[in-house]
Amino acid sequence: MLQIQTIRDNKEDVILALGKRNIDAEPLIEKVLQLDENRRAAQTSLDNVLAESNKISKEIGVLYKTGKVQEANLLKEQTVKLKEESKQLGEDLNTAEEELQTLLYQLPNAPHASVVKGSTEEDNEEIFNEGEIPTLDSGAMPHWELAKKYDIIDFELGVKIAGAGFPVYKGKGARLQRALIAYFLDKNTEAGYTEIQVPHLVNELSGYGTGQLPDKEGQMYHVTADDLYLIPTAEVPVTNIFRDVIVNENDFPITYTGYTPCFRREAGSYGAHVRGLNRLHQFDKVEIVRVEHPSKSYEALDGMVEHVKNILRELKLPYRILRLCGGDLGFTAALTFDFEVFSTAQDRWLEISSVSNFETYQANRLKLRFKDENGKNQLAHTLNGSSLALPRVLAGILENYQTPEGIKIPEVLVPYCGFDMID
């Protein structure tokens, strides 16, 4: 969440930045600052009462030692009143802190200076594109028809077992899925990321730590009996490794990669744009997460973008990169680059990766800090990216690599698959 000191010192700048998200933040910011004043006033009053109580307690000790029992007893009556007053002030302080925290949780991150104001994905800026869009034969099919033709993904069976959005991968489809996971993990570890396996459920504190709660509560599957949430991305458990941690400045950069299934309760909709693998409730994703020194985080973000580029170059998929506008920017992100692969059979772009810098937003929630050269605690920066999300990568491969004889496997994946054609 945003730091209260930042809001206090740069109120107008914060309001303008949040305006890029099409938010009139001024009323909420003013309320935050008022609650902060209330909190600080309650803290000052409590500190004064506790100081007075401690002072009187010392005087009482001296009086008893010198035999002035009556005077000591009179002062003890004052300490009883001060204790009651401190209790009430403590309750007032807790209430003010809880109200302030609740309001701060409602404020999204302030966009980076390079982010433009916009309302929808139509306002995102294309900053890069690469790769040749193949020319397909007249009988080319979208991936959901290819999946049925070659019996590699069964969407109807998934509906029978769980419901819409839970596909069953079969035969060479399952092996291609596994190959992609292994390939992505290998590429990430070769780039210096440490592979990690994490739980697929998280507690409420973890959801709040990375900002999925309360913002995305309706989109997360909630196991109510145990008050646990199925993860929407590996970002949540991996980043929460550092909740309430003070890292060593010499440890930067801290880099992890992990594969997990991901679960999202997407709002129901219909049409070709959500058919097949285009939108799922359960899907596989390989994630990269970084904890960085604030002075290095944007250099790290550029490096993550280049890393995903290299993977797509090896897969030989046509892709583009978008810098998200304020209206399409995720709640916790300061700057996000989306990668989209071109689906030739669908004649549309499919999002396959988001690479984001959260600056101190998550670290403030997590209390993720480091000691600077002066020994003072500072908030770290956190970043994450999809490297990559599998469903639409798989859709892009099936559609762009289809031939009349079958579906070719990208050359870089053949050693992982053990075959070069789905036929």
Side-chain angles (χ1 to χ4, degrees):
M1 59 192 167
L2 295 176
Q3 298 178 67
I4 190 63
Q5 189 68 44
T6 300
I7 297 172
R8 194 185 301 132
D9 294 344
N10 306 280
K11 182 180 80 169
E12 296 303 326
D13 291 341
V14 171
I15 291 171
L16 283 173
L18 292 176
K20 290 182 178 182
R21 294 179 176 271
N22 306 302
I23 296 171
D24 179 11
E26 186 170 4
L28 197 55
I29 292 293
E30 291 292 354
K31 194 171 181 181
V32 163
L33 291 174
Q34 184 58 60
L35 280 174
D36 183 49
E37 284 296 324
N38 297 345
R39 178 190 64 82
R40 290 197 290 166
Q43 183 70 68
T44 300
S45 297
L46 178 59
D47 290 344
N48 290 339
V49 168
L50 291 175
E52 180 67 17
S53 182
N54 288 336
K55 178 185 173 186
I56 292 174
S57 293
K58 290 178 181 177
E59 290 177 3
I60 290 171
V62 172
L63 290 170
Y64 273 128
K65 285 180 181 178
T66 58
K68 298 177 181 179
V69 177
Q70 189 173 358
E71 292 179 39
N73 289 337
L74 286 172
L75 285 179
K76 283 182 72 174
E77 292 177 10
Q78 288 187 41
T79 61
V80 171
K81 292 178 182 178
L82 289 171
K83 190 172 288 186
E84 291 175 357
E85 189 176 351
S86 66
K87 181 182 177 184
Q88 183 60 54
L89 286 169
E91 291 173 359
D92 293 344
L93 178 60
N94 288 337
T95 298
E97 287 177 338
E98 288 172 5
E99 290 178 352
L100 178 60
Q101 190 88 333
T102 298
L103 275 185
L104 287 172
Y105 279 144
Q106 294 176 29
L107 284 172
N109 202 355
H112 184 263
S114 65
V115 174
V116 299
K117 184 175 182 179
S119 301
T120 68
E121 60 185 26
E122 302 300 322
D123 299 315
N124 294 334
E125 301 175 286
E126 181 178 324
I127 61 169
F128 187 83
N129 69 75
E130 188 174 59
E132 186 176 343
I133 296 174
T135 301
L136 301 180
D137 294 330
S138 58
M141 302 176 181
H143 69 269
W144 53 86
E145 292 182 11
L146 292 167
K148 190 169 187 177
K149 177 180 178 180
Y150 295 107
D151 194 27
I152 53 176
I153 307 171
D154 195 322
F155 295 101
E156 289 76 16
L157 188 56
V159 172
K160 173 185 176 181
I161 296 169
F166 296 89
V168 174
Y169 299 86
K170 303 167 66 178
K172 287 186 174 181
R175 289 173 66 184
L176 177 55
Q177 182 89 339
R178 177 158 51 93
L180 281 166
I181 293 167
Y183 166 66
F184 292 152
L185 286 171
D186 282 353
K187 290 298 295 182
N188 295 343
T189 54
E190 287 168 11
Y193 291 87
T194 299
E195 184 176 349
I196 189 168
Q197 291 188 5
V198 289
H200 300 162
L201 293 100
V202 294
N203 56 31
E204 187 177 64
L205 281 174
S206 294
Y208 273 93
T210 44
Q212 278 67 33
L213 295 177
D215 178 58
K216 297 289 190 297
E217 187 160 9
Q219 296 180 27
M220 295 174 70
Y221 284 98
H222 188 193
V223 184
T224 54
D226 302 292
D227 197 20
L228 294 172
Y229 293 85
L230 275 71
I231 60 170
T233 166
E235 167 202 342
V236 182
V238 174
T239 311
N240 268 279
I241 290 170
F242 302 99
R243 176 156 40 92
D244 297 318
V245 170
I246 299 175
V247 299
N248 194 322
E249 189 173 11
N250 296 328
D251 291 337
F252 292 131
I254 300 169
T255 59
Y256 280 122
T257 184
Y259 152 71
T260 65
C262 304
F263 305 88
R264 300 184 185 179
R265 296 179 66 246
E266 301 281 4
S269 55
Y270 301 91
H273 66 292
V274 296
R275 287 194 66 180
L277 298 171
N278 288 349
R279 182 174 296 174
L280 300 175
H281 293 304
Q282 178 183 328
F283 61 94
D284 291 319
K285 183 152 67 85
V286 176
E287 197 81 355
I288 50 177
V289 172
R290 300 180 74 98
V291 179
E292 290 279 355
H293 190 284
S295 66
K296 300 285 188 180
S297 69
Y298 278 96
E299 180 184 335
L301 182 67
D302 291 341
M304 292 167 75
V305 168
E306 289 301 317
H307 176 66
V308 176
K309 276 186 185 179
N310 289 333
I311 292 175
L312 290 169
R313 284 172 182 147
E314 287 193 358
L315 290 173
K316 296 180 181 177
L317 289 170
Y319 71 95
R320 67 178 183 177
I321 304 175
L322 305 175
R323 179 166 48 211
L324 298 193
C325 69
D328 202 33
L329 195 64
F331 188 84
T332 55
L335 177 62
T336 294
F337 296 104
D338 268 8
F339 284 75
E340 296 182 337
V341 66
F342 192 75
S343 164
T344 308
Q346 297 180 66
D347 192 30
R348 59 188 291 256
W349 293 97
L350 304 174
E351 182 196 332
I352 55 167
S353 174
S354 288
V355 181
S356 302
N357 189 344
F358 307 104
E359 297 184 355
T360 60
Y361 190 88
Q362 289 182 332
N364 194 26
R365 288 174 172 236
L366 294 161
K367 293 184 173 59
L368 164 54
R369 296 153 293 171
F370 69 96
K371 286 192 181 296
D372 64 17
E373 64 275 11
N374 300 316
K376 186 177 178 182
N377 286 342
Q378 303 285 357
L379 291 172
H381 279 195
T382 61
L383 305 90
N384 87 276
S386 313
S387 180
L388 292 160
L390 271 74
R392 293 170 185 168
V393 172
L394 186 58
I397 290 172
L398 297 179
E399 294 181 5
N400 291 329
Y401 276 85
Q402 64 180 300
T403 71
E405 294 76 35
I407 301 166
K408 291 181 179 178
I409 299 299
E411 185 178 352
V412 73
L413 293 178
V414 172
Y416 291 90
C417 290
F419 55 86
D420 60 8
M421 179 79 79
I422 297 174
D423 52 19

